[in-house]
Amino acid sequence: MSITHTPPTHLHRPHVNLWLIAVVVLAAALIGLGTWVLVDHYAGGGGATQNAATLIDGSNTAISNADAAALASFYAPNAVITRDDGGVTVGAEAIRGLVPMTQALDYKVWRVAPVTVEGDFATTFLQYTSTIGEGTEPAVYQLREGKILRMW
């Protein structure tokens, strides 16, 4: 008679590393969010968002290039700009007159965030540089008939 010894059988449950799962999920969410921000920033959200982004980017380019004619074309005839210093510029022709000042200050401005649109209003963040400083600021636009009516 022969006696064989069989080792006891143990069921091995797979080990689940919850920290690893959490890191993978968060990384995927971060990549998805980053992709969405880039696509929204460069391609625009919908038709109204795309139109607003094009208008804002065009006016920023005109200011940065000191192109008075192009700048005035983005604004309604009775447009109003409220500047950071509290000053107010009224009318497309007066806005055109801002160009020599921005040129003297070597003022450059560009959009650094997606544009959000709600009704006739669009918001974004702008970054600027000039000979007297640089910074980032929120910008609010009221749009009407494909032109900028008010800017704060």
Side-chain angles (χ1 to χ4, degrees), residues 59-61 63-64 83-85 101-102 105-113 124-139 141 151-152:
S59 68
N60 290 341
T61 300
I63 291 170
S64 297
R83 298 186 310 273
D84 291 345
D85 62 5
M101 177 184 69
T102 61
L105 296 173
D106 194 27
Y107 186 79
K108 307 290 184 208
V109 62
W110 59 96
R111 181 169 57 93
V112 292
T124 190
F125 283 88
L126 303 177
Q127 190 167 2
Y128 64 91
T129 62
S130 73
T131 57
I132 58 174
E134 60 184 50
T136 303
E137 62 187 11
Y141 299 84
M151 178 190 173
W152 297 267

Side-chain angles (χ1 to χ4, degrees), residues 10-11 14 16 24 26 45-46 48 53 56 58 64 68 74-75 77 93 102-103 113 120 122 125 135 144 147:
H10 297 287
L11 294 174
V16 177
V24 169
L26 287 174
I56 292 166
S64 297
F74 291 104
Y75 288 86
E93 287 306 309
T102 61
Q103 191 173 22
D120 288 345
F125 283 88
R144 183 143 315 133
K147 301 281 186 177

Side-chain angles (χ1 to χ4, degrees), residues 3-94:
I3 300 178
T4 47
H5 177 70
T6 12
T9 306
H10 297 287
L11 294 174
H12 291 287
R13 291 190 305 181
H15 178 69
V16 177
N17 186 340
L18 295 177
W19 285 108
L20 180 60
I21 291 171
V23 167
V24 169
V25 167
L26 287 174
L30 186 61
I31 289 169
L33 179 62
T35 302
W36 174 77
V37 167
L38 286 174
V39 167
D40 190 59
H41 180 73
Y42 291 105
T49 302
Q50 180 64 40
N51 293 343
T54 301
L55 199 59
I56 292 166
D57 291 344
S59 68
N60 290 341
T61 300
I63 291 170
S64 297
N65 293 337
D67 187 343
L71 180 62
S73 74
F74 291 104
Y75 288 86
N78 58 341
V80 177
I81 293 179
T82 304
R83 298 186 310 273
D84 291 345
D85 62 5
V88 177
T89 304
V90 180
E93 287 306 309

